[in-house]
């Protein structure tokens, strides 16, 4: 099937299935309740929108499997980045994360049980082949298998939880992830792969189908979406063959806010596991920013990181590492500036 026809079909199928399932999930009455602490909404909101995103994506994967069986020439073997076996493990791991998220959305899993289940997938996926082959740097490459497996497990655990922490404002986490998938595809296109994998179009379109409803405040992605979609990015990125610095650059808009917030709370001696409103995006909302304004800011940051990651992938050598450093430093400084300015504004509002 010519790509000129393939990409619009993928967008239509993934987006429409996602939109339909999201609308359907609003009737399931699994609600995100206001808590007066971390959450900003004033009324209960349905929170299984992630099911729609994953349904749209896997509908395309199912169709692609049928078409490939009928005529392998139509799609080739690079519908998603990575080898067939690794892709299968990545998809299974993403579904595992989504299942844990869904269980937590519906029945509030025991925290210890949830952690054990997440760790099992984080360790199991790298052992089954979903791991970066090397950690490259200007100072030499690390290739020790045990180190790569441990590092990949840590990346999967940290990134999925970071994305879940960022899922507290309409359009933020899922919108940023959509830009990250776009950046992943562009990096592959400009890099050695030379092609934007069609499967990545599917998850972007499925995310768009969800965002149409989410940005009206009518549904949340929930843990099923935050965990499932972020795990899909984390696993596919690891098996894409791209430099770890290209992957890390794509993830900066999520990682910086999460890691800097954890450092802040640790410095204050506060618990790292309790609900809070200390993220930079939460600080902006507390001072009057709307969900749209916060989302657009983070989408812009994600688009900029995606563009730089793509340039780094195309240039190769030490460029991905250099671009990562050049972005990580100003983003970290920007985080500090936002926190300080919002803190000062909040203090003035209290005095008034």
């Amino acid at each position: 099937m010519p790509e000129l026809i393939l990409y619009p079909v993928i967008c239509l199928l993934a987006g429409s299935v996602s939109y339909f399932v999201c609308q359907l999930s609003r009737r399931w009455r699994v609600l995100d309740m206001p808590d007066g602490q971390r959450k900003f909404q004033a009324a209960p909101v349905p929170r299984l929108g992630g099911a729609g995103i994953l349904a749209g994506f896997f509908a395309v994967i199912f169709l692609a499997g049928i078409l490939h069986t009928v005529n392998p020439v139509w799609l080739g073997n690079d519908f998603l980045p990575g080898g067939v076996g690794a892709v299968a493990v990545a998809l299974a791991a993403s579904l595992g994360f989504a299942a844990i998220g869904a269980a937590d959305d519906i029945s509030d899993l025991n925290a210890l049980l949830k952690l054990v289940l997440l760790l099992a997938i984080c360790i199991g996926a790298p052992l089954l082949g979903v791991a970066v082959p090397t950690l490259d740097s200007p100072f030499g490459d690390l290739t020790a298998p045990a180190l790569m497996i441990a590092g990949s497990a840590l990346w999967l655990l940290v990134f999925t939880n970071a994305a879940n922490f960022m899922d507290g404002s309409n359009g933020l986490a899922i919108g940023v992830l959509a830009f990250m998938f776009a950046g992943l595809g562009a990096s592959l296109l400009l890099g050695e792969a030379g092609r934007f994998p069609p499967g990545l179009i599917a998850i972007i379109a499925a995310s768009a189908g969800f965002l149409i409803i989410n940005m009206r405040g009518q549904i949340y992605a929930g843990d099923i979406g935050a965990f499932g979609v972020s795990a899909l990015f984390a696993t596919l990125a690891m098996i894409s063959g791209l430099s770890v610095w290209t992957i890390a650059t794509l993830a900066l808009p999520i990682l910086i806010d999460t890691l800097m917030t954890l450092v802040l709370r640790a410095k204050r001696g506060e618990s790292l596991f309790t609900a809070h409103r200390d993220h930079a995006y939460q600080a902006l909302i507390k001072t009057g920013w709307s969900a749209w304004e916060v989302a657009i800011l983070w989408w812009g940051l994600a688009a900029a990181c995606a563009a730089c990651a793509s340039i780094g992938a195309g240039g190769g050598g030490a460029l991905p590492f250099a671009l990562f450093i050049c972005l990580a430093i100003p983003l970290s400084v920007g985080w500090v500036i936002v926190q300080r300015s919002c803190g000062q504004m909040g203090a003035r509002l209290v005095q008034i």
Side-chain angles (χ1 to χ4, degrees), residues 70-337:
V70 173
N71 188 346
V73 176
W74 283 350
L75 297 176
N77 294 317
D78 55 353
F79 193 75
L80 286 168
V84 175
V87 167
V89 175
L91 296 181
S94 301
L95 287 174
F97 268 91
I100 294 170
D104 199 33
D105 284 331
I106 295 170
S107 60
D108 292 325
L109 280 182
N110 174 272
L112 179 59
L113 174 60
K114 180 179 177 180
L115 177 60
V116 169
L117 293 174
L118 291 174
L119 284 173
I121 301 176
C122 289
I123 296 171
L127 288 173
L128 293 175
V130 178
V132 293
T134 181
L135 174 59
D136 58 292
S137 80
F139 315 106
D141 297 346
L142 297 176
T143 58
L147 184 60
M148 294 303 99
I149 290 174
S152 298
L154 181 62
W155 152 254
L156 188 53
L157 179 66
V158 169
F159 180 73
T160 52
N161 279 279
N164 193 37
F165 293 156
M166 294 292 289
D167 188 31
S169 179
N170 291 341
L172 183 56
I174 298 301
V176 168
L177 282 165
F179 277 100
M180 289 168 60
F181 280 110
L184 180 62
S187 297
L188 290 166
L189 176 65
L190 297 178
E192 295 182 3
R195 186 169 188 252
F196 197 122
L200 297 181
I201 297 292
I203 189 63
I204 296 169
S207 299
F210 160 79
L211 288 171
I212 292 173
I213 308 174
N214 171 250
M215 293 307 296
R216 297 199 295 261
Q218 296 177 349
I219 195 168
Y220 292 163
D223 284 1
I224 182 176
F227 275 134
V229 180
S230 63
L232 185 63
F233 174 83
T235 52
L236 292 180
M238 283 194 290
I239 62 177
S240 65
L242 293 169
S243 165
V244 294
W245 303 110
T246 295
I247 298 169
T249 299
L250 291 170
L252 276 175
I254 286 178
L255 291 181
I256 290 294
D257 197 359
T258 299
L259 296 179
M260 293 291 286
T261 300
L262 291 177
V263 170
L264 174 65
R265 292 182 64 80
K267 184 179 179 180
R268 292 174 178 170
E270 298 171 346
S271 172
L272 303 182
F273 304 102
T274 57
H276 60 83
R277 290 186 177 185
D278 291 332
H279 286 280
Y281 79 88
Q282 292 171 321
L284 290 172
I285 292 174
K286 284 188 291 185
T287 57
W289 283 51
S290 69
W292 268 108
E293 290 170 329
V294 171
I296 290 172
L297 174 59
W298 255 263
W299 293 351
L301 294 175
C305 288
C308 290
S310 303
I311 293 170
L319 187 56
F321 177 77
L323 287 172
F324 170 78
I325 297 298
C326 289
L327 284 172
I329 293 174
L331 285 175
S332 299
V333 173
W335 183 93
V336 173
I337 293 173

Side-chain angles (χ1 to χ4, degrees), residues 1-10 63-64 67-68 71-76 79 195 198:
M1 180 182 296
E3 291 189 2
L4 187 62
I5 301 175
L6 177 62
Y7 286 132
V9 170
I10 288 174
L63 176 62
L67 293 177
H68 187 72
N71 188 346
V73 176
W74 283 350
L75 297 176
F79 193 75
R195 186 169 188 252

Side-chain angles (χ1 to χ4, degrees), residues 57-70:
F57 172 72
F58 280 99
V60 171
I61 297 302
F62 180 73
L63 176 62
I66 294 175
L67 293 177
H68 187 72
T69 301
V70 173

